[in-house]
Amino acid sequence: MISFSIILSPLVYGLLAFSLLLTVVIVVWHVRRYSAVRRCVAASGSDVAESLAPATVVVYAHNDGACLKRFLPYLLNQNYPNYEVIVVNDSSVDNSAEVISEMIANYDKLRQTFIPEGSRNVSRRKLAIMLGIKAARNELIVVTNANCCPPGPDWLMLMCRNFTPDTDVVIGYSRPRYKKDHKFGRNYRVYDNVTDSVQYLSSDINGYPFRGTNDNLAYRRSSFFANNGFHRSLMLHFGDDDLFVSEIARADNTRVELCPDSIVTAFHDNYSAVHGELKLRHDFTAKRLRRWPFISSSLISLCQYANVAALAAAMALAWCNVWVACAAAVLLISLWVTLICLFRGNARRLKAPKLHVGVPFYVYLRPIVNALYAIRGYRMRESNYTWQRLK
């Protein structure tokens, strides 16, 4: 008669071997994304345009008088040979118009246009960008927001140097001002933002572009009009940073700029609320984007849960076996330490706080939180369409 322990051993060792395989798959997947971001940062400055073509910075503003007064001087004092700044005022009721008018008197490269309050059933941000691009005198368009501040006078040069003859789209990066986020869940928001950013940046770098950030995005004026602007997504309030990029960006016409001096900082009064809004917007538009980046992330999340389940099952079946317990602990701790190190490397390059102990917990929490946002987004999906006016 075969003893139960003999039958049990192959199953336990099989679970440990399965966990080891999953650990390798998870690590390789995360290392590949980490390497893409690191490679892009290391390659900053190589294979750039021989000369800097004239550029236009389009700034979207809505009740951002204080931000315009604070940050417009940074945009207007860039080390760039020939450029202009166009502020598109979206029916602001604060002092935005006065601030812009005062600065126009001091800066000849500054111009403004506006969206009338009567505009209905249209994405006001997309309309603003379209008006700014139509008013632009130059071929290179760099889009940002009034609440964004470049790190220094070389920002515009670093973005536009990527426009080689074959380049139509340059994807930059924007980070929130983490220091002003003091609400509960701040560390998770840091982890979620860095992880989400690495997902789309690594995909863009590896030749599968599907998203950018409307805080720091550049493309050719001719490419914009050749694509008929935002006509495929005019029925949606948002999508100028992901739907549009997914439409015009390809592996052979897109570059990513991640030099530290090219990363702008976005100032929000309540980043906790903004973070949630952005997740709902991107979850809605994600259904219209290229699917593989999201499928691969979902598969890795399943691997992470399966890994823990396999280790838990092995320890439950051989709870008195010290070797099994040590093997399971080594596999799990090795994975967690690797993920912490990779996250810290990504955070350093993206100018985010470097988290420590909480990272392994957030790895398993994030898919659950994303699922809850997906459920919430489905219930309020109609608010994303332009026939539902935003408050």
Side-chain angles (χ1 to χ4, degrees):
M1 184 175 179
I2 301 175
S3 68
F4 183 72
S5 60
I6 297 177
I7 298 176
L8 178 63
S9 295
L11 177 59
V12 172
Y13 296 142
L15 288 171
L16 291 176
F18 180 60
S19 174
L20 176 60
L21 175 63
L22 291 177
T23 299
V24 172
V25 170
I26 295 168
V27 169
V28 168
W29 187 81
H30 282 282
V31 167
R32 186 171 183 270
R33 299 192 347 174
Y34 169 87
S35 298
V37 174
R38 184 184 64 178
R39 185 173 67 251
C40 182
V41 175
S44 296
S46 61
D47 189 22
V48 296
E50 295 181 358
S51 60
L52 297 173
T56 297
V57 180
V58 177
V59 183
Y60 174 75
H62 177 65
N63 292 332
D64 289 306
C67 289
L68 289 170
K69 187 173 183 179
R70 183 178 179 184
F71 303 138
L72 258 185
Y74 289 91
L75 298 176
L76 293 165
N77 289 283
Q78 291 292 303
N79 293 331
Y80 201 84
N82 186 356
Y83 78 103
E84 63 178 350
V85 176
I86 299 177
V87 178
V88 187
N89 189 352
D90 181 9
S91 305
S92 299
V93 295
D94 62 355
N95 65 335
S96 295
E98 291 79 2
V99 171
I100 299 171
S101 298
E102 291 176 3
M103 290 196 178
I104 287 178
N106 298 319
Y107 296 94
D108 56 3
K109 60 171 63 75
L110 176 62
R111 294 193 288 143
Q112 72 169 320
T113 185
F114 67 95
I115 302 178
E117 176 60 29
S119 300
R120 295 289 187 274
N121 296 331
V122 66
S123 169
R124 298 182 67 83
R125 178 179 171 81
K126 291 175 186 173
L127 177 59
I129 295 174
M130 291 172 63
L131 291 175
I133 294 175
K134 285 185 176 182
R137 298 166 179 160
N138 303 317
E139 167 70 358
L140 305 186
I141 305 296
V142 184
V143 180
T144 187
N145 290 306
N147 68 323
C148 293
C149 180
D154 295 327
W155 162 72
L156 186 58
M157 179 273 294
L158 293 171
M159 290 293 292
C160 293
R161 68 179 180 174
N162 291 279
F163 280 105
T164 61
D166 298 327
T167 305
D168 293 324
V169 183
V170 178
I171 297 174
Y173 182 66
S174 167
R175 72 180 190 100
R177 195 183 185 200
Y178 294 106
K179 291 182 179 179
K180 288 295 183 180
D181 184 8
H182 303 296
K183 293 190 176 181
F184 175 77
R186 181 254 190 185
N187 284 352
Y188 174 77
R189 286 188 290 275
V190 171
Y191 172 81
D192 182 64
N193 185 67
V194 171
T195 302
D196 185 61
S197 299
V198 170
Q199 177 188 23
Y200 79 80
L201 289 172
S202 62
S203 181
D204 297 343
I205 295 166
N206 287 327
Y208 204 76
F210 72 96
R211 187 179 140 195
T213 169
N214 56 32
D215 290 339
N216 197 10
L217 182 64
Y219 39 82
R220 293 186 183 274
R221 189 173 187 265
S222 56
S223 299
F224 179 83
F225 288 118
N227 188 68
N228 293 322
F230 303 117
H231 80 286
R232 293 186 182 89
S233 60
L234 281 177
M235 80 294 295
L236 304 176
H237 282 295
F238 311 105
D240 53 285
D241 58 348
D242 48 15
L243 295 177
F244 180 67
V245 169
S246 186
E247 290 170 7
I248 71 171
R250 306 183 307 274
D252 59 349
N253 76 341
T254 304
R255 293 174 63 92
V256 178
E257 178 58 64
L258 286 180
C259 175
D261 289 335
S262 72
I263 299 177
V264 304
T265 301
F267 288 71
H268 302 285
D269 293 333
N270 186 355
Y271 178 64
S272 174
V274 170
H275 175 264
E277 292 174 4
L278 290 175
K279 287 189 70 68
L280 290 172
R281 295 177 190 177
H282 289 141
D283 177 75
F284 180 81
T285 55
K287 301 174 180 62
R288 295 168 169 80
L289 303 179
R290 297 162 183 166
R291 299 306 304 160
W292 175 243
F294 303 99
I295 293 174
S296 64
S297 293
S298 298
L299 290 175
I300 290 300
S301 295
L302 290 176
C303 288
Q304 290 168 165
Y305 289 126
N307 182 38
V308 173
L311 291 176
M315 294 181 67
L317 292 172
W319 60 271
C320 60
N321 191 315
V322 176
W323 186 91
V324 172
C326 290
V330 168
L331 285 173
L332 201 56
I333 293 174
S334 298
L335 175 60
W336 288 351
V337 170
T338 301
L339 294 180
I340 291 173
C341 293
L342 293 176
F343 174 83
R344 285 172 58 81
N346 288 327
R348 183 178 69 255
R349 291 178 177 86
L350 299 182
K351 294 186 176 182
K354 301 171 188 176
L355 306 181
H356 300 277
V357 181
V359 171
F361 173 68
Y362 300 145
V363 166
Y364 303 105
L365 176 64
R366 186 169 184 267
I368 299 174
V369 174
N370 287 347
L372 294 176
Y373 270 104
I375 295 172
R376 181 184 172 191
Y378 179 79
R379 292 175 178 174
M380 54 185 297
R381 60 191 180 279
E382 290 190 359
S383 64
N384 292 280
Y385 293 94
T386 54
W387 57 75
Q388 292 284 344
R389 190 177 181 193
L390 294 178
K391 295 182 180 179

